[in-house]
Amino acid sequence: MELTRLPFYQLHKLIIKKEISISELVGAVIKKVEEIDDTVNGYSFFYPEEALEQAGQLEKNVDDKIPPLFGIPIAIKDNIAIEGKPLTCGSRILKNFISPYSATVINRLKEQGAIILGKTNLDEFAMGSSSETSIFGPVRNPFNEKLVAGGSSGGSAAVVAYGGACASLGSDTGGSIRLPASFCGIVGLKPTYGLVSRYGLAAYASSLDTIGPLTRNTIDAGIMLQAIAGFDPNDSTSLTAHPKTILKSIKDCRIGIPEEYFPDDLNPEITDAINNVIEIFKPEIKELKKISLPGTGYALAGYYLIAPAEASSNLARYDGVRYGLRIADNNTYVKTRDEGFGTEVKRRIILGTFVLSRGYYEQYYNVAQQVRNVVGDEFKKAFNCVDVILTPVAPVKPFPIGTLVKDPLMMYHCDSFTVPASLAGLPALALPVKDGIGFQLIGPWFQEELLLSLGRFYEKSIGRI
Ligand code: GLN
């Protein structure tokens, strides 16, 4: 099999056995990017020379004790800080900004000897579901260039899907890892909120933001998670201790299927695909249970009040004084923000400012917080009688570039099945089924391992390596 197609846990074995060299691997991946990325537009910044040089250095230290990410070329979403590299968030306002420090996740990957190949394209400030609003232009789906790659971590998903990186990091606030992973046919994991440090992630909605891996399979996702997870004193929401995993064997597992995620008008192709997945699990698990999470219908509205509210506050720092773009004018603040932010970002800032304003706060923001509590409580109750919840990742398949970007409400609708787990801070794993359709496993806090082992069971059942 072609090197750029293999999961990296297998490449790691080949590197240790010296069947391939790190330079050979990095060279093959670079070649892929050079062939394909002009079309896909997954990378905003690409560092082939640095990567090859690092590969040459690492090569000298290969032995059978190297960590699993040693010499593995990976890509990083361009809203995660790397010292000395641009951090644009796909926005004009940060176009020339160079990060003075690295995110904790970057330091952790580097400690293992991972090679950072470049920074990936995204929706401006990670606000979107299609990766079309970046100053660098849209990301195209590697399987069909007329279609979107999903968003907002579209670049991170696309490059892993076409072989332009062995794995990547994305961020997921309301689905931005899971949706593009599905649209591009790869695995995406949104960890439990607080498990992975957000230090060095450009904030969108701080109470929802998470960083997680996009990979070719669940083993790689587990390795990436292990590398980046853990307490970080630089992030005040980073968790110090967490309960031991309650990992059960598959045959003791009870899977819940929530009726609200299968509305009558769901695209039948999606229903069929997910039903096939359910059929694969059914004979192997303890129980398949139909459940109800009635708050689901309010989750999207709640999310689209809370996320913009937090965004309006977080993005206040881009003021033409401290960071990035400055348009000198007798009204610098207004001018800089007007020219620096794109339409969707402005829409969110206006909406967020509105829902936080006096007189409307109780009516909108408070109610959204109540919705958030209801959604969380319903999940908690559900996890008294099931171990995991299985749903489609999205109510839509990859759509043509240029269509939904003109229709924000339709774009928001793509996130209907991903935002509930985000509001509740739960871990959720997206696995590809076919044609840009994916299924999602949602678990109780910290049960990533359970999700990954169920995901692995599925991969093996369908013969995926
Ligand atoms: N599409 C959602 C939004 O625009 C989620 C984005 C994300 O997870 N970063 O807010």
Side-chain angles (χ1 to χ4, degrees):
M1 206 183 205
E2 215 186 311
L3 284 188
T4 57
R5 293 263 152 245
L6 286 175
F8 73 72
Y9 81 91
Q10 295 200 351
L11 293 165
H12 172 69
K13 291 182 195 155
L14 297 177
I15 292 171
I16 288 185
K17 284 195 255 161
K18 306 235 160 110
E19 283 179 30
I20 58 165
S21 72
I22 296 175
S23 308
E24 201 181 323
L25 169 62
V26 172
V29 173
I30 289 173
K31 192 159 157 260
K32 219 26 170 207
V33 177
E34 285 166 349
E35 274 165 31
I36 294 180
D37 213 68
D38 276 351
T39 312
V40 168
N41 200 23
Y43 277 105
S44 305
F45 301 94
F46 185 48
Y47 311 120
E49 292 86 13
E50 257 177 72
L52 280 171
E53 197 192 306
Q54 202 190 337
Q57 293 296 328
L58 291 171
E59 209 92 83
K60 299 177 194 146
N61 299 318
V62 172
D63 60 27
D64 55 5
K65 284 181 216 59
I66 55 169
L69 284 163
F70 195 88
I72 302 297
I74 57 172
I76 304 293
K77 187 175 182 179
D78 192 19
N79 61 350
I80 299 174
I82 305 176
E83 187 182 342
K85 295 280 187 269
L87 176 63
T88 72
C89 298
S91 181
R92 182 162 180 235
I93 213 153
L94 285 175
K95 193 162 172 218
N96 298 315
F97 180 73
I98 304 291
S99 177
Y101 70 97
S102 286
T104 299
V105 290
I106 298 299
N107 291 331
R108 292 191 175 163
L109 291 174
K110 282 192 169 165
E111 271 163 32
Q112 282 219 12
I115 296 177
I116 293 170
L117 259 188
K119 302 206 73 182
T120 55
N121 205 356
L122 71 164
D123 279 303
E124 186 178 4
F125 282 103
M127 297 174 188
S129 312
S130 63
S131 301
E132 292 175 278
T133 66
S134 159
I135 32 155
F136 301 108
V139 181
R140 296 178 180 276
N141 194 301
F143 298 103
N144 180 345
E145 61 186 76
K146 294 199 175 69
L147 303 180
V148 300
S152 65
S153 314
S156 284
V159 300
V160 173
Y162 76 68
C166 292
S168 64
L169 287 184
S171 66
D172 191 313
T173 303
S176 277
I177 289 176
R178 291 162 281 166
L179 187 66
S182 277
F183 277 16
C184 294
I186 62 165
V187 171
L189 174 64
K190 172 217 154 340
T192 302
Y193 180 81
L195 182 63
V196 175
S197 167
R198 290 184 292 114
Y199 180 70
L201 168 69
Y204 161 16
S206 315
S207 77
L208 297 155
D209 292 342
T210 59
I211 296 178
L214 294 104
T215 56
R216 297 205 185 102
N217 76 5
T218 52
I219 297 186
D220 288 359
I223 296 171
M224 288 285 279
L225 181 68
Q226 183 106 45
I228 60 174
F231 176 67
D232 174 15
N234 287 327
D235 171 1
S236 61
T237 57
S238 169
L239 297 161
T240 34
H242 49 81
K244 269 255 100 12
T245 145
I246 49 149
L247 185 59
K248 293 189 167 190
S249 69
I250 308 278
K251 65 176 181 3
D252 293 327
C253 235
R254 297 159 303 170
I255 298 184
I257 311 290
E259 57 175 322
E260 291 77 7
Y261 288 71
F262 297 85
D264 292 339
D265 60 352
L266 186 63
N267 177 340
E269 262 186 87
I270 298 179
T271 316
D272 288 350
I274 306 301
N275 282 338
N276 286 338
V277 173
I278 294 173
E279 287 307 312
I280 290 176
F281 280 110
K282 207 169 165 182
E284 307 294 333
I285 58 170
K286 184 166 168 198
E287 193 180 355
L288 193 71
K289 223 178 179 145
K290 284 212 167 14
I291 60 169
S292 173
L293 299 165
T296 307
Y298 303 103
L300 192 65
Y303 171 87
Y304 273 101
L305 295 172
I306 293 169
E310 293 187 21
S312 73
S313 156
N314 277 325
L315 271 57
R317 72 190 69 179
Y318 305 106
D319 55 6
V321 179
R322 288 172 293 182
Y323 304 94
L325 184 71
R326 170 183 178 82
I327 297 186
D329 185 81
N330 52 16
N331 204 349
T332 291
Y333 180 79
V334 171
K335 197 100 181 156
T336 302
R337 287 169 69 83
D338 185 26
E339 293 192 15
F341 290 134
T343 311
E344 184 57 31
V345 174
K346 285 180 189 162
R347 181 180 295 122
R348 309 252 181 141
I349 293 173
I350 292 168
L351 178 64
T353 308
F354 174 74
V355 303
L356 290 176
S357 60
R358 190 154 62 169
Y360 294 100
Y361 183 93
E362 289 77 10
Q363 212 175 329
Y364 293 102
Y365 186 73
N366 268 354
V367 174
Q369 293 295 2
Q370 285 162 6
V371 166
R372 186 174 194 170
N373 289 338
V374 168
V375 169
D377 289 346
E378 285 181 5
F379 273 121
K380 213 181 249 166
K381 247 202 235 142
F383 288 130
N384 286 331
C385 59
V386 296
D387 300 295
V388 290
I389 292 171
L390 191 155
T391 78
V393 169
V396 289
K397 289 181 53 174
F399 43 86
I401 289 185
T403 49
L404 296 198
V405 76
K406 294 187 222 110
D407 188 345
L409 287 182
M410 284 307 286
M411 188 71 89
Y412 301 168
H413 175 69
C414 300
D415 309 326
S416 305
F417 300 158
T418 47
V419 298
S422 300
L423 288 174
L426 300 170
L429 175 67
L431 290 137
V433 185
K434 58 165 193 178
D435 301 335
I437 300 171
F439 74 99
Q440 171 177 234
L441 293 170
I442 305 171
W445 289 327
F446 305 111
Q447 299 312 313
E448 279 80 358
E449 240 184 286
L450 174 60
L451 303 184
L452 289 166
S453 60
L454 283 165
R456 185 65 193 150
F457 165 79
Y458 172 77
E459 283 170 346
K460 281 194 185 151
S461 310
I462 58 160
R464 216 177 270 155
I465 45 171

